[in-house]
Amino acid sequence: MRRQTAAALAAALLTAGLTPLTLAAPASAAPARFADDFNGDGYRDLATAAPYAPVAGKTDAGAVVVTYGSANGIAAARRTVLTQDTAGIPGTAEQGDRFGKALASGDLNADGYADLVVGSVGEDVGSDADGGSVTVVWGGKNGLSGGKGVSDPAVSAHDEYGMSLAVADFDGDGRPDLAVGSTGSDVWIHRSFTKTNGSTSRSELATGLRGGAGLAGAQSLAAGDIDGDGTDDLVATGSQASDYEDGAMVFLGAASGLTRQTFLRSGGWELATVGDLNGDGHDDVVTADYGGDAKSLGGSVSVYPGGPGGARTSPQITVDQDTPGVPGADEEGDWFGNDLSIADVDGDGYGDLAVGTIHEDVGSADIAGGVTVLRGSAAGLTTTGAQSFTQDTAGVPGTAETADRFGASVRLSDLTGDGKADLSVGADGENHPSGAVYSLRGSASGVTTKNAVSFGPGSLGMSTTGYLRLGQDML
């Protein structure tokens, strides 16, 4: 059962503005039930990045907004806004840091509260321009506050440390680990976190992906239990160094560490996510080739089912906007699949897939953006019952306008505690270029626009001028 009494009490104790939220503590601490419950009240929370937000006049310094879940979902009033100028957060907000360019979460120090991990890809490290940095912001009974940097073990070997992040238990010891990618060919795994010392051990994972200039390193990282052995596995997307093929490298977790299982030649180097679409207890890998190729003009997504041996190397299905049952049309430059998320929106026991289409034209509005929700089933991903949302969909706040980029980020997570995942959407071009966040409820019939909410920087106490791009990423 969700602790709704604690949530109701928390709602009465909220503080607004840019200071950390103060919430009622649970009666006793317990291991974090959810990897995104930062205040331990039993509800999932939503973190949204504005990586180009100005801070104290410094452009592109970056900010992250956390809105806290409740029985009524998220609201702008229940939030914490974090920057590198926030008290207790390591570093200083500087021009071009792009704090929030990547996000991940999990209970790293095993204190019962999820922690937020933030990548700042433009952070200068000593004389290394754009070396990048990673910060853990600690969860607690009062919400997110304080933090610890995660040091880069090889500063001169790469740039943009923290451009991809994933938190999961890769060695099966019961505590989450942190995987960090950069422009280099390797991923660093940080383990054994404490609030005082941060990560106390680490290891280097050779990915076999191409590092250096251009399509460099692990473009994205995703984690889940693909082989069903109780230990999490890691998926890293990029270009394979041996042949420049684009796709996703799959590594299986074990007490001895991560070992390569296979490379999925999906044709897309940009993105992958992991979740159980067919309800068999094995997470499936979904890759996106949103740039368009021989398979499609506007982008496609492919599903590689998980099983006892890991990910299947041929897809169960590849879907684009010309696939029967999928709303819309496969048009050049749509970027179908620019962001992905998996969770169960209708409570039927199967994960569903949200697909962002950031460049979708809506009527005469170019690059207005849209989101497609595809259903999971016992047979895997299906186009039956597919749903499509834009800002012109009845019940969705606002109006589709040129360059809104609705669908820049998508997140399926149960923010109300009713057992059905809600759809959160970032539109980082709304009120160009401020950005906005939207939340639509899950229901037994799928995503519904009833009680949909949206909010922009002004209602979050942030600057309403400047180039924020609120909603460019979320978790």
Side-chain angles (χ1 to χ4, degrees):
M1 293 289 292
R2 304 278 189 169
R3 293 190 286 273
Q4 295 189 18
T5 301
L9 180 58
L13 297 175
L14 298 172
T15 59
L18 303 183
T19 55
L21 191 67
T22 301
L23 296 169
S28 60
R33 181 180 177 189
F34 302 118
D36 48 5
D37 180 6
F38 303 115
N39 55 26
D41 67 352
Y43 293 94
R44 294 182 181 273
D45 307 315
L46 179 71
T48 304
Y52 298 95
V55 179
K58 299 163 186 172
T59 59
D60 302 346
V64 178
V65 180
V66 174
T67 44
Y68 293 86
S70 73
N72 295 315
I74 57 173
R78 299 190 302 270
R79 90 271 185 163
T80 295
V81 180
L82 300 165
T83 75
Q84 286 184 289
D85 278 358
T86 301
I89 303 301
T92 302
E94 299 165 315
Q95 183 173 346
D97 280 350
R98 287 174 285 164
F99 178 81
K101 191 65 174 172
L103 301 171
S105 65
D107 187 3
L108 289 169
N109 62 343
D111 65 351
Y113 303 97
D115 309 306
L116 178 66
V117 186
V118 184
S120 306
V121 297
E123 182 87 33
D124 294 342
V125 182
S127 60
D128 183 15
D130 297 331
S133 69
V134 175
T135 303
V136 177
V137 185
W138 304 114
K141 64 181 182 181
N142 296 321
L144 287 160
S145 64
K148 191 75 176 179
V150 180
S151 61
D152 182 348
V155 174
S156 62
H158 48 242
D159 283 327
E160 298 190 13
Y161 190 69
M163 75 176 189
S164 54
L165 302 166
V167 174
D169 181 8
F170 300 119
D171 55 11
D173 66 354
R175 294 187 57 167
D177 311 308
L178 170 63
V180 181
S182 67
T183 62
S185 59
D186 293 348
V187 168
W188 284 91
I189 311 296
H190 297 266
R191 301 183 176 88
S192 304
F193 283 80
T194 68
K195 204 165 188 177
T196 301
N197 299 316
S199 172
T200 58
S201 69
R202 66 194 181 208
S203 60
E204 191 173 10
L205 176 67
T207 65
L209 298 174
R210 185 156 55 107
L215 308 181
Q219 295 293 306
S220 75
L221 294 171
D225 190 1
I226 298 167
D227 58 2
D229 65 352
T231 301
D232 289 318
D233 311 308
L234 181 69
V235 178
T237 63
S239 294
Q240 189 167 227
S242 60
D243 56 13
Y244 285 19
E245 285 273 359
D246 296 335
M249 198 75 74
V250 180
F251 301 90
L252 301 182
S256 57
L258 289 159
T259 58
R260 172 176 165 166
Q261 182 235 329
T262 191
F263 181 71
L264 306 176
R265 289 175 170 81
S266 65
W269 54 267
E270 305 101 335
L271 185 67
T273 193
V274 175
D276 189 358
L277 296 166
N278 59 9
D280 67 352
H282 300 88
D283 284 332
D284 310 308
V285 180
V286 181
T287 63
D289 180 12
Y290 60 79
D293 63 3
K295 294 180 292 187
S296 68
L297 291 170
S300 63
V301 298
S302 298
V303 179
Y304 298 83
R312 199 171 79 186
T313 56
S314 58
Q316 169 247 328
I317 189 173
T318 295
V319 175
D320 62 34
Q321 287 186 287
D322 271 356
T323 302
V326 178
D330 181 30
E331 299 164 317
E332 187 172 2
D334 275 352
W335 282 28
F336 179 79
N338 66 269
D339 201 19
L340 305 170
S341 185
I342 297 174
D344 183 1
V345 302
D346 53 7
D348 65 354
Y350 303 107
D352 305 305
L353 176 68
V355 183
T357 312
I358 193 172
H359 289 170
E360 182 80 27
D361 295 342
V362 180
S364 61
D366 297 337
I367 317 179
V371 178
T372 302
V373 178
L374 303 171
R375 300 293 183 85
S377 72
L381 190 70
T382 175
T383 61
T384 301
Q387 296 178 277
S388 178
F389 300 91
T390 73
Q391 284 184 275
D392 277 359
T393 301
V396 175
T399 302
E401 300 165 312
T402 294
D404 276 350
R405 292 165 47 107
F406 181 83
S409 58
V410 294
R411 173 71 170 174
L412 291 178
S413 59
D414 181 9
L415 300 171
T416 63
D418 66 355
K420 300 173 182 63
D422 308 303
L423 171 64
S424 299
V425 181
D428 69 352
E430 178 73 15
N431 295 323
H432 185 75
S434 293
V437 178
Y438 300 77
S439 182
L440 285 64
R441 301 286 181 88
S443 75
S445 59
V447 176
T448 175
T449 60
K450 183 180 180 181
N451 298 318
V453 299
S454 70
F455 41 84
S459 58
L460 295 166
M462 304 172 71
S463 170
T464 56
T465 61
Y467 192 86
L468 279 76
R469 290 293 185 190
L470 175 68
Q472 189 166 101
D473 192 16
M474 59 173 51
L475 67 75

